[in-house]
Amino acid sequence: MAEIRNHTLNFGPQHPAAHGVLRLVLEMDGEVVERADPHVGLLHRGTEKLVETRTWAQSVPYMDRLDYVSMMCNEHAYCLAVEKLLGIEAPERARYIRTMLDEVTRILNHLLWIGCHGLDVGAMTMTLYTFREREDLMDVYEAVSGARMHAAYYRPGGVYRDLPDRMPQYEVSQWKNARTVKAMNENRQGSLLDFLEDFTDRFPKHHGEYHTLLTDNRIWKQRLVNIGVVSPERAKQLGFTGAMLRGSGVEWDLRKKQPYAAYDKVEFDVPVGVTGDSYDRYLVRMEEMAQSNRIIRQCINWLRVNPGPVMSDDHKVTPPPRAEVKSNMESLIHHFKLCSEGIHVPEGEAYAAIEHPKGEFGIYAISDGANKPYRLKIRAPGFAHLAAMDEMARGHMLADVVTIIGSQDIVFGEIDR
Amino acid sequence: MSAKLETLKTVLTQQLAGRIQSLTLALDELSLEVAAADYESVMRDLRDAPELGFEQLIDLCGVDYSEYRENWTGRRFAVVAHLLSLAHNWRLRVRVFALNDDFPLLPSLTSLWASANWYEREAFDLLGVVFEGHEDLRRILTDYGFVGHPLRKDFPLAGHVEMRYDEQAGRVVYQPVSITPRETAPRIRRNTRHAACDGDLEHG
């Protein structure tokens, strides 16, 4: 009789289904996982150490690079923490812009997630569909900030500038003739808000396409239903937040429970799962996209009729307008001081959390009154989720591990920091 | 929110009588400081008392206070935990200082909240705080075989070693760092609230 032995399997760090650089050491009994030990830190860049040596404003771009698929949400948490310490609040228009772009980011994140999750589990076409819509939203990012990914658009005190009045246009090239370009530019004739509104008109149809492709798909259900079940009690114990917690049937959404920005002024529903398996988490995130679309529309309507400042006029925190710097002595001094020394944040500590697409993303900042943070702790939702990998994967087959990683919506930028 | 936190403050004062070192309400957040000896029992009560109901440990991190305001005289290492109650919708920050600066040791919370596992591993890795009772206290974020605790204030930003591929040896080797540290904006602490103080403006 052949001797049967348990063996250890190295999954990653260079595995396409490991979502980046996850090294998973799996102890297997045949094809069944007995223990999963995630080794993280392969993308560790020491963000928390780096921000201690940069001024408060200089650290905003570091936040983009944490969860690099939901850039603006990371900035949002950081700006809220700094604003809390400074005792200032962004103007109302800036808060609406932040709300709108947070939801754009949520759709961006969930589209990438469903595309990659589908790819991992065998639904190869998903990315082709989702990247089509992501392209439009990336253009929104580019139009407001100039960068398609690492925007650095939210600043302590507001947002960098108001929404643009016109969208960038495609140009005729040797690959695209005038007719193609005209068709491509059709929805880019108006302002950014027009472009985004056009997107929200189209999105429900596309959202329906994803449902058609996956929700009742037999293979998709076989791979997801009853995989990685987490009870509500365990979900709380394990520090789950966001869609992971709601998938387990706990109704908890910071946008409703501890509103920030303009979330108390917009209407939306919070989807909640029942069984806490991967399929429920899938359904929760899918519905979140539809709700985000709803929030974006409400924000567009508000932003159209309510012009106003988008940056706090406290020029000891935010830089004064360029023209003023040229003509006004006081503004010149402010500008010089802000660019050489930066903001001085009063001594104290603050924790600001937002409902990030992945869960609760929090920034805990300690200031001793200097122009740089004394200590900054980034509370990344994925860190707590991945820590539960062992518990979720135990007793499942090897192929289910891929499903569980997918349903956790893991991104290593935020876990490794 | 403030009214709610006042309620929480009252409940905490009743429930944890005698074990509170300080309880401050600032910036709409409640911070509790406890002694290392009471840490575990306080955390257990915070979780189990239905009036408090902190069922989630949202975050736990270590802090090295040695260079705080350049004149720090207290203990060097602290652990700061952020708790969240879903039932009551309130948060609490708990800070505890480790008694020994050379060997910071605190009880582990892994038996109370499962999420403490990785957070404590991280605090151990980055700051060298040891958690008694943690069953799997390995490094988590730094490299295999890493020496030192990078978030300690006496650890240089560039680190001590760098790695490269060695042609001759045919493998990756470690060597002392070759880059020199560069500070673009010096650290300045002022008593005034903002960058430009009023005195500057008068001279301008």
Side-chain angles (χ1 to χ4, degrees), chain B residues 58-100:
Chain B
I58 279 292
D59 187 29
L60 186 142
C61 66
V63 183
D64 174 2
Y65 274 98
S66 57
E67 286 174 17
Y68 191 81
R69 291 182 62 111
E70 287 103 44
N71 56 2
W72 185 254
T73 50
R75 299 259 167 251
R76 182 173 177 193
F77 292 105
V79 160
V80 182
H82 285 90
L83 304 178
L84 170 69
S85 165
L86 303 183
H88 300 288
N89 189 11
W90 53 35
R91 290 176 190 275
L92 177 68
R93 170 163 43 234
V94 183
R95 188 194 332 271
V96 55
F97 280 93
L99 292 177
N100 189 341

mmCIF file of all heavy atoms in Angstrom, chain B residues 58-100:
data_model
loop_
_atom_site.group_PDB
_atom_site.id
_atom_site.type_symbol
_atom_site.label_atom_id
_atom_site.label_comp_id
_atom_site.label_asym_id
_atom_site.label_seq_id
_atom_site.Cartn_x
_atom_site.Cartn_y
_atom_site.Cartn_z
ATOM 1 N N ILE B 58 -10.661 46.944 16.033
ATOM 2 C CA ILE B 58 -10.487 47.439 14.676
ATOM 3 C C ILE B 58 -9.018 47.562 14.328
ATOM 4 O O ILE B 58 -8.584 47.234 13.228
ATOM 5 C CB ILE B 58 -11.218 48.805 14.541
ATOM 6 C CG1 ILE B 58 -12.709 48.564 14.304
ATOM 7 C CG2 ILE B 58 -10.649 49.667 13.447
ATOM 8 C CD1 ILE B 58 -13.047 47.940 12.983
ATOM 9 N N ASP B 59 -8.232 48.010 15.295
ATOM 10 C CA ASP B 59 -6.832 48.273 14.981
ATOM 11 C C ASP B 59 -6.009 48.167 16.252
ATOM 12 O O ASP B 59 -6.515 48.425 17.356
ATOM 13 C CB ASP B 59 -6.717 49.686 14.392
ATOM 14 C CG ASP B 59 -5.316 49.966 13.880
ATOM 15 O OD1 ASP B 59 -4.652 49.003 13.466
ATOM 16 O OD2 ASP B 59 -4.900 51.126 13.894
ATOM 17 N N LEU B 60 -4.771 47.777 16.087
ATOM 18 C CA LEU B 60 -3.849 47.765 17.221
ATOM 19 C C LEU B 60 -2.472 48.094 16.659
ATOM 20 O O LEU B 60 -2.066 47.528 15.641
ATOM 21 C CB LEU B 60 -3.848 46.386 17.875
ATOM 22 C CG LEU B 60 -3.038 46.218 19.164
ATOM 23 C CD1 LEU B 60 -3.774 45.308 20.120
ATOM 24 C CD2 LEU B 60 -1.655 45.667 18.903
ATOM 25 N N CYS B 61 -1.800 49.044 17.288
ATOM 26 C CA CYS B 61 -0.487 49.381 16.769
ATOM 27 C C CYS B 61 0.434 49.782 17.912
ATOM 28 O O CYS B 61 -0.018 50.153 18.995
ATOM 29 C CB CYS B 61 -0.567 50.512 15.745
ATOM 30 S SG CYS B 61 -1.077 52.079 16.421
ATOM 31 N N GLY B 62 1.719 49.705 17.660
ATOM 32 C CA GLY B 62 2.697 50.139 18.638
ATOM 33 C C GLY B 62 3.135 51.560 18.327
ATOM 34 O O GLY B 62 3.072 52.001 17.181
ATOM 35 N N VAL B 63 3.552 52.279 19.359
ATOM 36 C CA VAL B 63 4.076 53.633 19.165
ATOM 37 C C VAL B 63 5.361 53.757 19.980
ATOM 38 O O VAL B 63 5.421 53.316 21.126
ATOM 39 C CB VAL B 63 3.065 54.714 19.635
ATOM 40 C CG1 VAL B 63 3.600 56.108 19.342
ATOM 41 C CG2 VAL B 63 1.712 54.528 18.992
ATOM 42 N N ASP B 64 6.364 54.349 19.357
ATOM 43 C CA ASP B 64 7.619 54.622 20.065
ATOM 44 C C ASP B 64 7.607 56.104 20.431
ATOM 45 O O ASP B 64 7.708 56.965 19.561
ATOM 46 C CB ASP B 64 8.797 54.300 19.133
ATOM 47 C CG ASP B 64 10.127 54.693 19.752
ATOM 48 O OD1 ASP B 64 10.126 55.179 20.899
ATOM 49 O OD2 ASP B 64 11.160 54.494 19.084
ATOM 50 N N TYR B 65 7.465 56.414 21.719
ATOM 51 C CA TYR B 65 7.317 57.803 22.144
ATOM 52 C C TYR B 65 8.647 58.478 22.454
ATOM 53 O O TYR B 65 8.655 59.604 22.929
ATOM 54 C CB TYR B 65 6.405 57.877 23.386
ATOM 55 C CG TYR B 65 4.935 57.934 23.032
ATOM 56 C CD1 TYR B 65 4.147 56.800 23.049
ATOM 57 C CD2 TYR B 65 4.344 59.136 22.664
ATOM 58 C CE1 TYR B 65 2.806 56.853 22.718
ATOM 59 C CE2 TYR B 65 3.005 59.203 22.334
ATOM 60 C CZ TYR B 65 2.235 58.066 22.367
ATOM 61 O OH TYR B 65 0.906 58.126 22.031
ATOM 62 N N SER B 66 9.781 57.820 22.180
ATOM 63 C CA SER B 66 11.053 58.338 22.704
ATOM 64 C C SER B 66 11.397 59.743 22.218
ATOM 65 O O SER B 66 12.078 60.483 22.913
ATOM 66 C CB SER B 66 12.172 57.373 22.347
ATOM 67 O OG SER B 66 12.215 57.187 20.955
ATOM 68 N N GLU B 67 10.950 60.133 21.020
ATOM 69 C CA GLU B 67 11.316 61.465 20.524
ATOM 70 C C GLU B 67 10.138 62.421 20.504
ATOM 71 O O GLU B 67 10.187 63.479 19.868
ATOM 72 C CB GLU B 67 11.915 61.353 19.118
ATOM 73 C CG GLU B 67 13.316 60.784 19.150
ATOM 74 C CD GLU B 67 13.876 60.520 17.765
ATOM 75 O OE1 GLU B 67 13.338 61.057 16.791
ATOM 76 O OE2 GLU B 67 14.850 59.750 17.687
ATOM 77 N N TYR B 68 9.077 62.074 21.211
ATOM 78 C CA TYR B 68 7.878 62.899 21.212
ATOM 79 C C TYR B 68 8.183 64.249 21.850
ATOM 80 O O TYR B 68 8.661 64.322 22.987
ATOM 81 C CB TYR B 68 6.772 62.170 21.982
ATOM 82 C CG TYR B 68 5.410 62.790 21.848
ATOM 83 C CD1 TYR B 68 4.626 62.549 20.730
ATOM 84 C CD2 TYR B 68 4.908 63.606 22.837
ATOM 85 C CE1 TYR B 68 3.375 63.103 20.595
ATOM 86 C CE2 TYR B 68 3.646 64.170 22.722
ATOM 87 C CZ TYR B 68 2.883 63.918 21.587
ATOM 88 O OH TYR B 68 1.645 64.476 21.465
ATOM 89 N N ARG B 69 7.952 65.315 21.125
ATOM 90 C CA ARG B 69 8.223 66.697 21.570
ATOM 91 C C ARG B 69 9.663 66.905 22.007
ATOM 92 O O ARG B 69 9.981 67.862 22.706
ATOM 93 C CB ARG B 69 7.295 67.093 22.723
ATOM 94 C CG ARG B 69 5.846 67.248 22.320
ATOM 95 C CD ARG B 69 5.030 67.690 23.513
ATOM 96 N NE ARG B 69 5.490 68.988 23.971
ATOM 97 C CZ ARG B 69 4.794 70.104 23.859
ATOM 98 N NH1 ARG B 69 3.613 70.074 23.327
ATOM 99 N NH2 ARG B 69 5.261 71.239 24.277
ATOM 100 N N GLU B 70 10.528 66.006 21.667
ATOM 101 C CA GLU B 70 11.974 66.076 21.997
ATOM 102 C C GLU B 70 12.270 66.097 23.492
ATOM 103 O O GLU B 70 13.417 66.237 23.893
ATOM 104 C CB GLU B 70 12.631 67.300 21.342
ATOM 105 C CG GLU B 70 12.820 67.166 19.833
ATOM 106 C CD GLU B 70 11.791 67.956 19.051
ATOM 107 O OE1 GLU B 70 11.522 69.097 19.422
ATOM 108 O OE2 GLU B 70 11.253 67.410 18.063
ATOM 109 N N ASN B 71 11.248 65.999 24.329
ATOM 110 C CA ASN B 71 11.541 66.029 25.764
ATOM 111 C C ASN B 71 10.711 64.987 26.505
ATOM 112 O O ASN B 71 10.196 65.238 27.572
ATOM 113 C CB ASN B 71 11.301 67.436 26.341
ATOM 114 C CG ASN B 71 9.879 67.909 26.071
ATOM 115 O OD1 ASN B 71 9.076 67.174 25.489
ATOM 116 N ND2 ASN B 71 9.559 69.106 26.501
ATOM 117 N N TRP B 72 10.558 63.834 25.915
ATOM 118 C CA TRP B 72 9.705 62.811 26.496
ATOM 119 C C TRP B 72 10.381 62.190 27.716
ATOM 120 O O TRP B 72 11.552 61.845 27.675
ATOM 121 C CB TRP B 72 9.421 61.736 25.452
ATOM 122 C CG TRP B 72 8.454 60.701 25.907
ATOM 123 C CD1 TRP B 72 8.721 59.422 26.269
ATOM 124 C CD2 TRP B 72 7.034 60.857 26.032
ATOM 125 N NE1 TRP B 72 7.571 58.775 26.619
ATOM 126 C CE2 TRP B 72 6.518 59.635 26.488
ATOM 127 C CE3 TRP B 72 6.150 61.925 25.815
ATOM 128 C CZ2 TRP B 72 5.155 59.431 26.723
ATOM 129 C CZ3 TRP B 72 4.811 61.720 26.059
ATOM 130 C CH2 TRP B 72 4.318 60.496 26.497
ATOM 131 N N THR B 73 9.647 62.079 28.805
ATOM 132 C CA THR B 73 10.238 61.496 30.007
ATOM 133 C C THR B 73 9.531 60.219 30.427
ATOM 134 O O THR B 73 10.030 59.494 31.292
ATOM 135 C CB THR B 73 10.174 62.494 31.184
ATOM 136 O OG1 THR B 73 8.842 62.994 31.271
ATOM 137 C CG2 THR B 73 11.140 63.642 30.982
ATOM 138 N N GLY B 74 8.405 59.930 29.823
ATOM 139 C CA GLY B 74 7.634 58.749 30.220
ATOM 140 C C GLY B 74 8.218 57.464 29.648
ATOM 141 O O GLY B 74 9.354 57.441 29.158
ATOM 142 N N ARG B 75 7.432 56.420 29.705
ATOM 143 C CA ARG B 75 7.853 55.136 29.141
ATOM 144 C C ARG B 75 7.956 55.251 27.625
ATOM 145 O O ARG B 75 7.270 56.063 27.016
ATOM 146 C CB ARG B 75 6.845 54.060 29.515
ATOM 147 C CG ARG B 75 6.721 53.861 30.998
ATOM 148 C CD ARG B 75 7.488 52.637 31.440
ATOM 149 N NE ARG B 75 7.636 52.603 32.888
ATOM 150 C CZ ARG B 75 8.794 52.802 33.519
ATOM 151 N NH1 ARG B 75 9.891 53.042 32.845
ATOM 152 N NH2 ARG B 75 8.848 52.737 34.841
ATOM 153 N N ARG B 76 8.801 54.395 27.046
ATOM 154 C CA ARG B 76 9.073 54.562 25.628
ATOM 155 C C ARG B 76 7.995 53.939 24.724
ATOM 156 O O ARG B 76 7.513 54.578 23.800
ATOM 157 C CB ARG B 76 10.429 53.929 25.315
ATOM 158 C CG ARG B 76 10.806 54.093 23.867
ATOM 159 C CD ARG B 76 12.207 53.614 23.586
ATOM 160 N NE ARG B 76 12.485 53.739 22.170
ATOM 161 C CZ ARG B 76 13.514 53.190 21.557
ATOM 162 N NH1 ARG B 76 14.388 52.488 22.244
ATOM 163 N NH2 ARG B 76 13.687 53.347 20.267
ATOM 164 N N PHE B 77 7.621 52.707 24.996
ATOM 165 C CA PHE B 77 6.736 52.009 24.055
ATOM 166 C C PHE B 77 5.310 51.930 24.573
ATOM 167 O O PHE B 77 5.071 51.622 25.732
ATOM 168 C CB PHE B 77 7.243 50.594 23.786
ATOM 169 C CG PHE B 77 8.523 50.580 23.024
ATOM 170 C CD1 PHE B 77 9.713 50.282 23.663
ATOM 171 C CD2 PHE B 77 8.551 50.894 21.679
ATOM 172 C CE1 PHE B 77 10.902 50.282 22.969
ATOM 173 C CE2 PHE B 77 9.740 50.900 20.980
ATOM 174 C CZ PHE B 77 10.925 50.596 21.626
ATOM 175 N N ALA B 78 4.390 52.212 23.665
ATOM 176 C CA ALA B 78 2.972 52.068 24.002
ATOM 177 C C ALA B 78 2.306 51.231 22.927
ATOM 178 O O ALA B 78 2.786 51.165 21.789
ATOM 179 C CB ALA B 78 2.307 53.433 24.081
ATOM 180 N N VAL B 79 1.228 50.596 23.311
ATOM 181 C CA VAL B 79 0.391 49.931 22.330
ATOM 182 C C VAL B 79 -0.957 50.637 22.357
ATOM 183 O O VAL B 79 -1.494 50.916 23.427
ATOM 184 C CB VAL B 79 0.257 48.428 22.647
ATOM 185 C CG1 VAL B 79 -0.950 47.837 21.966
ATOM 186 C CG2 VAL B 79 1.510 47.694 22.217
ATOM 187 N N VAL B 80 -1.445 50.986 21.180
ATOM 188 C CA VAL B 80 -2.716 51.701 21.078
ATOM 189 C C VAL B 80 -3.705 50.817 20.326
ATOM 190 O O VAL B 80 -3.418 50.365 19.218
ATOM 191 C CB VAL B 80 -2.541 53.044 20.342
ATOM 192 C CG1 VAL B 80 -3.856 53.784 20.298
ATOM 193 C CG2 VAL B 80 -1.485 53.882 21.009
ATOM 194 N N ALA B 81 -4.833 50.563 20.959
ATOM 195 C CA ALA B 81 -5.858 49.732 20.327
ATOM 196 C C ALA B 81 -7.086 50.577 20.054
ATOM 197 O O ALA B 81 -7.432 51.456 20.854
ATOM 198 C CB ALA B 81 -6.217 48.564 21.229
ATOM 199 N N HIS B 82 -7.706 50.351 18.922
ATOM 200 C CA HIS B 82 -8.950 51.040 18.585
ATOM 201 C C HIS B 82 -10.074 50.029 18.592
ATOM 202 O O HIS B 82 -10.014 49.045 17.868
ATOM 203 C CB HIS B 82 -8.850 51.716 17.220
ATOM 204 C CG HIS B 82 -8.040 52.953 17.243
ATOM 205 N ND1 HIS B 82 -6.689 52.944 17.024
ATOM 206 C CD2 HIS B 82 -8.364 54.240 17.494
ATOM 207 C CE1 HIS B 82 -6.233 54.174 17.135
ATOM 208 N NE2 HIS B 82 -7.221 54.979 17.421
ATOM 209 N N LEU B 83 -11.069 50.295 19.423
ATOM 210 C CA LEU B 83 -12.182 49.362 19.544
ATOM 211 C C LEU B 83 -13.429 49.991 18.929
ATOM 212 O O LEU B 83 -13.591 51.203 18.915
ATOM 213 C CB LEU B 83 -12.448 49.046 21.015
ATOM 214 C CG LEU B 83 -11.273 48.498 21.805
ATOM 215 C CD1 LEU B 83 -11.679 48.291 23.239
ATOM 216 C CD2 LEU B 83 -10.798 47.191 21.217
ATOM 217 N N LEU B 84 -14.290 49.120 18.445
ATOM 218 C CA LEU B 84 -15.534 49.593 17.836
ATOM 219 C C LEU B 84 -16.680 48.731 18.338
ATOM 220 O O LEU B 84 -16.559 47.506 18.414
ATOM 221 C CB LEU B 84 -15.441 49.508 16.308
ATOM 222 C CG LEU B 84 -16.722 49.745 15.519
ATOM 223 C CD1 LEU B 84 -17.176 51.179 15.610
ATOM 224 C CD2 LEU B 84 -16.520 49.373 14.057
ATOM 225 N N SER B 85 -17.745 49.388 18.721
ATOM 226 C CA SER B 85 -18.951 48.663 19.099
ATOM 227 C C SER B 85 -19.995 48.858 18.012
ATOM 228 O O SER B 85 -20.404 49.984 17.740
ATOM 229 C CB SER B 85 -19.479 49.182 20.433
ATOM 230 O OG SER B 85 -20.802 48.724 20.610
ATOM 231 N N LEU B 86 -20.400 47.757 17.399
ATOM 232 C CA LEU B 86 -21.422 47.866 16.360
ATOM 233 C C LEU B 86 -22.789 48.096 17.000
ATOM 234 O O LEU B 86 -23.618 48.830 16.478
ATOM 235 C CB LEU B 86 -21.467 46.583 15.522
ATOM 236 C CG LEU B 86 -20.175 46.138 14.842
ATOM 237 C CD1 LEU B 86 -20.434 44.908 13.998
ATOM 238 C CD2 LEU B 86 -19.616 47.226 13.964
ATOM 239 N N ALA B 87 -23.007 47.489 18.172
ATOM 240 C CA ALA B 87 -24.315 47.592 18.816
ATOM 241 C C ALA B 87 -24.590 49.024 19.258
ATOM 242 O O ALA B 87 -25.687 49.543 19.080
ATOM 243 C CB ALA B 87 -24.369 46.642 20.002
ATOM 244 N N HIS B 88 -23.570 49.682 19.854
ATOM 245 C CA HIS B 88 -23.782 51.035 20.364
ATOM 246 C C HIS B 88 -23.316 52.110 19.401
ATOM 247 O O HIS B 88 -23.532 53.282 19.640
ATOM 248 C CB HIS B 88 -23.048 51.213 21.695
ATOM 249 C CG HIS B 88 -23.500 50.274 22.763
ATOM 250 N ND1 HIS B 88 -24.712 50.386 23.383
ATOM 251 C CD2 HIS B 88 -22.912 49.184 23.304
ATOM 252 C CE1 HIS B 88 -24.849 49.416 24.273
ATOM 253 N NE2 HIS B 88 -23.777 48.663 24.244
ATOM 254 N N ASN B 89 -22.589 51.696 18.358
ATOM 255 C CA ASN B 89 -22.039 52.639 17.383
ATOM 256 C C ASN B 89 -21.119 53.663 18.059
ATOM 257 O O ASN B 89 -21.294 54.861 17.928
ATOM 258 C CB ASN B 89 -23.160 53.332 16.611
ATOM 259 C CG ASN B 89 -22.637 54.145 15.449
ATOM 260 O OD1 ASN B 89 -21.464 54.029 15.085
ATOM 261 N ND2 ASN B 89 -23.472 54.978 14.868
ATOM 262 N N TRP B 90 -20.166 53.190 18.860
ATOM 263 C CA TRP B 90 -19.152 54.096 19.376
ATOM 264 C C TRP B 90 -17.786 53.447 19.334
ATOM 265 O O TRP B 90 -17.654 52.239 19.190
ATOM 266 C CB TRP B 90 -19.505 54.603 20.772
ATOM 267 C CG TRP B 90 -19.827 53.579 21.823
ATOM 268 C CD1 TRP B 90 -19.261 52.345 21.973
ATOM 269 C CD2 TRP B 90 -20.786 53.718 22.885
ATOM 270 N NE1 TRP B 90 -19.799 51.720 23.054
ATOM 271 C CE2 TRP B 90 -20.730 52.526 23.642
ATOM 272 C CE3 TRP B 90 -21.649 54.728 23.281
ATOM 273 C CZ2 TRP B 90 -21.537 52.328 24.752
ATOM 274 C CZ3 TRP B 90 -22.441 54.509 24.395
ATOM 275 C CH2 TRP B 90 -22.390 53.336 25.115
ATOM 276 N N ARG B 91 -16.793 54.324 19.424
ATOM 277 C CA ARG B 91 -15.407 53.876 19.345
ATOM 278 C C ARG B 91 -14.668 54.254 20.613
ATOM 279 O O ARG B 91 -15.062 55.193 21.316
ATOM 280 C CB ARG B 91 -14.683 54.548 18.173
ATOM 281 C CG ARG B 91 -15.131 54.106 16.821
ATOM 282 C CD ARG B 91 -14.427 54.909 15.751
ATOM 283 N NE ARG B 91 -14.997 54.668 14.439
ATOM 284 C CZ ARG B 91 -14.650 53.664 13.648
ATOM 285 N NH1 ARG B 91 -13.729 52.818 14.034
ATOM 286 N NH2 ARG B 91 -15.207 53.512 12.471
ATOM 287 N N LEU B 92 -13.588 53.563 20.864
ATOM 288 C CA LEU B 92 -12.754 53.877 22.022
ATOM 289 C C LEU B 92 -11.308 53.566 21.674
ATOM 290 O O LEU B 92 -11.018 52.593 20.980
ATOM 291 C CB LEU B 92 -13.192 53.038 23.234
ATOM 292 C CG LEU B 92 -12.365 53.215 24.506
ATOM 293 C CD1 LEU B 92 -12.567 54.600 25.091
ATOM 294 C CD2 LEU B 92 -12.753 52.166 25.546
ATOM 295 N N ARG B 93 -10.433 54.448 22.140
ATOM 296 C CA ARG B 93 -9.000 54.203 21.955
ATOM 297 C C ARG B 93 -8.420 53.829 23.316
ATOM 298 O O ARG B 93 -8.682 54.508 24.306
ATOM 299 C CB ARG B 93 -8.332 55.465 21.415
ATOM 300 C CG ARG B 93 -6.825 55.400 21.410
ATOM 301 C CD ARG B 93 -6.205 56.443 20.524
ATOM 302 N NE ARG B 93 -6.803 57.752 20.633
ATOM 303 C CZ ARG B 93 -7.278 58.455 19.619
ATOM 304 N NH1 ARG B 93 -7.233 57.981 18.418
ATOM 305 N NH2 ARG B 93 -7.792 59.645 19.808
ATOM 306 N N VAL B 94 -7.660 52.751 23.366
ATOM 307 C CA VAL B 94 -7.049 52.319 24.619
ATOM 308 C C VAL B 94 -5.534 52.335 24.441
ATOM 309 O O VAL B 94 -5.012 51.762 23.486
ATOM 310 C CB VAL B 94 -7.508 50.894 25.006
ATOM 311 C CG1 VAL B 94 -6.909 50.501 26.339
ATOM 312 C CG2 VAL B 94 -9.018 50.813 25.051
ATOM 313 N N ARG B 95 -4.869 53.033 25.365
ATOM 314 C CA ARG B 95 -3.411 53.098 25.276
ATOM 315 C C ARG B 95 -2.815 52.468 26.530
ATOM 316 O O ARG B 95 -3.296 52.672 27.644
ATOM 317 C CB ARG B 95 -2.958 54.546 25.159
ATOM 318 C CG ARG B 95 -1.472 54.697 24.860
ATOM 319 C CD ARG B 95 -0.953 56.105 25.066
ATOM 320 N NE ARG B 95 -1.987 57.089 24.866
ATOM 321 C CZ ARG B 95 -2.276 57.635 23.693
ATOM 322 N NH1 ARG B 95 -1.590 57.310 22.643
ATOM 323 N NH2 ARG B 95 -3.250 58.515 23.596
ATOM 324 N N VAL B 96 -1.770 51.695 26.332
ATOM 325 C CA VAL B 96 -1.090 51.093 27.475
ATOM 326 C C VAL B 96 0.410 51.175 27.234
ATOM 327 O O VAL B 96 0.881 50.869 26.132
ATOM 328 C CB VAL B 96 -1.582 49.641 27.702
ATOM 329 C CG1 VAL B 96 -1.433 48.787 26.470
ATOM 330 C CG2 VAL B 96 -0.869 48.993 28.864
ATOM 331 N N PHE B 97 1.133 51.642 28.237
ATOM 332 C CA PHE B 97 2.581 51.734 28.110
ATOM 333 C C PHE B 97 3.229 50.472 28.667
ATOM 334 O O PHE B 97 2.822 49.967 29.723
ATOM 335 C CB PHE B 97 3.107 52.961 28.865
ATOM 336 C CG PHE B 97 2.937 54.238 28.100
ATOM 337 C CD1 PHE B 97 1.812 55.022 28.277
ATOM 338 C CD2 PHE B 97 3.891 54.629 27.173
ATOM 339 C CE1 PHE B 97 1.644 56.190 27.560
ATOM 340 C CE2 PHE B 97 3.728 55.800 26.438
ATOM 341 C CZ PHE B 97 2.600 56.581 26.640
ATOM 342 N N ALA B 98 4.241 49.967 27.967
ATOM 343 C CA ALA B 98 4.981 48.805 28.467
ATOM 344 C C ALA B 98 5.957 49.283 29.535
ATOM 345 O O ALA B 98 6.583 50.336 29.384
ATOM 346 C CB ALA B 98 5.722 48.140 27.322
ATOM 347 N N LEU B 99 6.085 48.510 30.595
ATOM 348 C CA LEU B 99 6.850 48.978 31.754
ATOM 349 C C LEU B 99 8.347 49.019 31.484
ATOM 350 O O LEU B 99 9.050 49.907 31.936
ATOM 351 C CB LEU B 99 6.559 48.078 32.962
ATOM 352 C CG LEU B 99 5.130 48.202 33.500
ATOM 353 C CD1 LEU B 99 4.903 47.241 34.631
ATOM 354 C CD2 LEU B 99 4.863 49.630 33.954
ATOM 355 N N ASN B 100 8.848 48.046 30.744
ATOM 356 C CA ASN B 100 10.284 47.964 30.527
ATOM 357 C C ASN B 100 10.639 48.487 29.133
ATOM 358 O O ASN B 100 10.183 47.956 28.133
ATOM 359 C CB ASN B 100 10.718 46.497 30.677
ATOM 360 C CG ASN B 100 12.216 46.350 30.691
ATOM 361 O OD1 ASN B 100 12.951 47.234 30.251
ATOM 362 N ND2 ASN B 100 12.684 45.227 31.198
#
